[in-house]
Amino acid sequence: MRMKFFLTMFLLVVLMIIVTACNSNAESGNQTNTEEEAGENTETNEETEHLIVAFPNFYGEPQDLDKVEAELSKLAEEKINATVEIITLSISAYQQQMNLMLTSDEKLDLAVVLSEQFSPQVSRGQLHEIGDMLEEHGQGIIDAVGEDFLKATQIDAKQYAVPTVRDFAASYGFMMPKEYVEKYDIDVDQINTLEDMGEILRMIKAEEPDLYPLTSNSPGESIAYFLRFVDPLSDFNGVLPNYDNDLEVVNYYEMPEYVEMLKTFRSWYEEDLILPDVATTQTTKNELLKEGKIVTYSQALKPGIEEQNSRDMDTEMVAIEIFDPVATTSNVASIMWSVPRNSKIPEKAVELLNLMYSDKEVYNLLTWGIEGEHFEKVSDEVIKYPDGVTSENVGYSLNTSWLTGNQFLSYVFENEDPELWNQIEKFNNDSIKSKALGFNFNSAPVSTEIAAVSNVKEQYRIGLESGALDFDKYYSEFIESLNDAGMDKIIAEKQKQLDEWAKINGIK
């Protein structure tokens, strides 16, 4: 019995040791697994940032914007651990809406800047300086744009924006449907001046009395905006005639050529050659053309513009060049991307921007939408609309490939030349170069005068530059108001800065 007792106790002790050891190993294993899981979570559950992006739309907000936004967020989350929210604003109200957003605390991480607003936004401290961020997070941008053209979006040698990669030069003139060119046997190569164009408009009006042959390119803009013959030096508040003029800045609004242009537009307006509500209408040129109300509109021109406009207008279009191709800072910086001061995550914003300049999948998704739904491939570089889809019913197609980053990443449509981007590059290289190319005006020293002049221009410019306002009645009033607002002071400051820039850059 005693032997049996001791044997039983021995077995119980051994069993307790085994159970204790197993429990210890289990706890150790659980602790190890927990630590490993925690390590994995640390690596994979880094907080995903949310980026808000704003840019103008020229044809209304796309119906399938939310679908593209979702797909873009998937790509961005995979590539830079961020999701994306897109805000599009009508081009007619874009500058006003952006001013409201930038003066508030509303979150905004990336936004398009138009040339006339760039310097004022910098002077008001509304944009991040992103030079160092580009070096760290934006090598794709630097490689795509190039150091020389990046300088066109610097102020006081600081990088506040980057230009989209596209045509850095432009010629100026008009677009007309091929239908009318053929119907009236118009030789567009013989139209070289505004006077020549006037004769064509009168001929069309005589044959089509219910038409108003001419309108502006977009609501809220004048006809003259795309008929340039000076370097606007950022904002037209002091310009460089003939793209040289020994670097002497003059008042654009008092130039004899400008005055003659206004008189021409007024005479056209009085002859019913221009849409009566051209200065106030919110109806796009696309809608007006399809409704049979207009024929032509002013346009900045470049290689491929006929095909681009033909697709946009859903009818074959022909370009009429009046002013020769030229490259100015305003051309390069006409469309820029910036990181607003409102952004609390500017480095992440630059990472997304870098994808728009270096990642073909991201760029084309943002520009053309979803493959198979909004476009389909004809080849690796050429696309078309899917069966049953046209420019009128496509759910997403910005038709502004020059807006969304590096256009040289873009697919081309099947009616376009596959060599288009090589042609654009040659066009850039062969164009006239303004003597002030690379100069950016810092408006901060005259910000009060800039604001006052802008208010005057908003009141008069579109009406005068589209013929809707009576030249004899309002022109002198316009000039007097500009002078009262401080135009002379702005020109003097711009001349001072241009002289300093020329001296630093060795330009005589």
Side-chain angles (χ1 to χ4, degrees), residues 448-459:
T448 300
E449 290 77 12
I450 290 283
V453 163
S454 295
N455 288 335
V456 173
K457 288 162 67 174
E458 186 173 344
Q459 183 178 355

Side-chain angles (χ1 to χ4, degrees), residues 398-440:
L398 297 180
N399 277 328
T400 50
S401 58
W402 40 265
L403 177 73
T404 40
N406 179 3
Q407 192 181 33
F408 290 2
L409 296 175
S410 180
Y411 302 131
V412 297
F413 263 73
E414 61 179 348
N415 67 327
E416 296 177 319
D417 191 331
E419 293 298 313
L420 177 60
W421 306 132
N422 292 329
Q423 294 171 11
I424 292 283
E425 186 174 14
K426 184 177 187 302
F427 178 71
N428 289 340
N429 293 335
D430 293 348
S431 65
I432 301 167
K433 306 297 189 297
S434 171
K435 198 170 187 177
L437 179 62
F439 169 71
N440 251 312

Side-chain angles (χ1 to χ4, degrees), residues 167-315:
D167 47 306
F168 286 142
S171 56
Y172 299 95
F174 301 91
M175 297 298 299
M176 178 182 292
K178 189 175 183 180
E179 168 193 353
Y180 288 91
V181 173
E182 294 178 342
K183 183 177 181 179
Y184 297 113
D185 195 24
I186 298 170
D187 185 351
V188 295
D189 292 333
Q190 297 303 311
I191 306 174
N192 300 306
T193 65
L194 289 180
E195 289 73 17
D196 295 339
M197 191 65 195
E199 292 303 315
I200 300 300
L201 297 177
R202 291 184 187 96
M203 182 266 292
I204 293 174
K205 182 67 177 181
E207 298 293 334
E208 314 256 0
D210 293 334
L211 281 175
Y212 295 98
L214 178 62
T215 192
S216 61
N217 185 277
S218 59
E221 199 47 83
S222 72
I223 293 173
Y225 189 76
F226 286 124
L227 296 173
R228 300 185 185 183
F229 51 89
V230 298
D231 184 336
L233 299 177
S234 301
D235 56 10
F236 286 96
N237 296 327
V239 301
L240 201 63
N242 302 317
Y243 310 103
D244 190 319
N245 204 45
D246 293 329
L247 293 184
E248 181 183 351
V249 181
V250 305
N251 188 338
Y252 173 60
Y253 303 104
E254 293 186 313
M255 286 181 62
E257 297 90 338
Y258 178 77
V259 172
E260 286 304 310
M261 183 169 63
L262 296 192
K263 290 180 178 179
T264 295
F265 291 152
R266 182 58 184 173
S267 69
W268 290 359
Y269 188 88
E270 291 178 323
E271 295 174 68
D272 286 337
L273 305 182
I274 295 176
L275 190 74
D277 58 350
V278 61
T280 58
T281 184
Q282 294 302 304
T283 307
T284 67
K285 62 181 184 291
N286 308 52
E287 296 169 309
L288 291 167
L289 184 63
K290 289 167 186 175
E291 291 170 4
K293 292 183 178 179
I294 61 103
V295 175
T296 61
Y297 50 88
S298 57
Q299 175 76 53
L301 307 175
K302 62 180 179 179
I305 195 65
E306 292 179 328
E307 292 81 3
Q308 178 184 317
N309 274 247
S310 297
R311 186 173 63 253
D312 294 350
M313 309 299 283
D314 203 28
T315 189

Side-chain angles (χ1 to χ4, degrees), residues 331-392:
N331 293 126
V332 177
S334 60
I335 300 289
M336 298 166 277
W337 282 91
S338 68
V339 180
R341 181 60 65 178
N342 303 37
S343 178
K344 302 299 188 292
I345 46 173
E347 291 85 1
K348 186 62 69 175
V350 171
E351 287 183 41
L352 177 60
L353 189 62
N354 193 61
L355 292 179
M356 293 160 56
Y357 281 73
S358 60
D359 189 299
K360 192 163 189 170
E361 186 179 16
V362 168
Y363 170 87
N364 282 291
L365 172 63
L366 182 58
T367 303
W368 300 115
I370 301 168
E371 184 178 355
E373 184 170 354
H374 304 121
F375 70 88
E376 62 183 36
K377 287 187 175 180
V378 176
S379 67
D380 287 343
E381 301 299 329
V382 180
I383 60 174
K384 67 176 184 176
Y385 290 124
D387 290 343
V389 177
T390 68
S391 61
E392 292 186 338

Side-chain angles (χ1 to χ4, degrees), residues 123 441-449 489 493 497:
S123 68
F441 177 51
N442 180 2
S443 64
V446 285
S447 57
T448 300
E449 290 77 12
K489 187 173 180 181
E493 177 62 30
Q497 292 184 27

Side-chain angles (χ1 to χ4, degrees), residues 38-144:
E40 289 176 3
N41 289 338
T42 299
E43 290 181 14
T44 61
N45 290 346
E46 178 186 346
E47 183 179 357
T48 300
E49 302 284 8
H50 185 64
L51 294 165
I52 298 180
V53 179
F55 55 82
N57 68 66
F58 292 77
Y59 308 105
E61 183 170 297
Q63 178 183 337
D64 292 345
L65 178 63
D66 57 339
K67 292 183 181 180
V68 172
E69 184 179 84
E71 291 300 313
L72 183 59
S73 287
K74 288 179 186 178
L75 284 179
E77 191 164 12
E78 173 190 328
K79 295 171 184 289
I80 61 170
N81 198 26
T83 57
V84 181
E85 178 181 340
I86 300 172
I87 299 172
T88 76
L89 303 167
S90 170
I91 183 59
S92 62
Y94 186 74
Q95 293 188 1
Q96 181 181 12
Q97 291 296 316
M98 284 304 302
N99 286 337
L100 291 174
M101 295 176 76
L102 293 175
T103 53
S104 71
D105 292 328
E106 185 173 352
K107 176 175 167 58
L108 185 61
D109 299 294
L110 270 180
V112 162
V113 179
L114 305 179
S115 58
E116 291 191 9
Q117 289 300 307
F118 180 47
S119 180
Q121 287 173 4
V122 170
S123 68
R124 292 192 292 262
Q126 293 175 334
L127 306 180
H128 278 284
E129 199 279 308
I130 58 173
D132 291 340
M133 298 182 209
L134 288 182
E135 292 293 335
E136 187 172 355
H137 304 290
Q139 281 301 318
I141 298 171
I142 294 173
D143 292 343

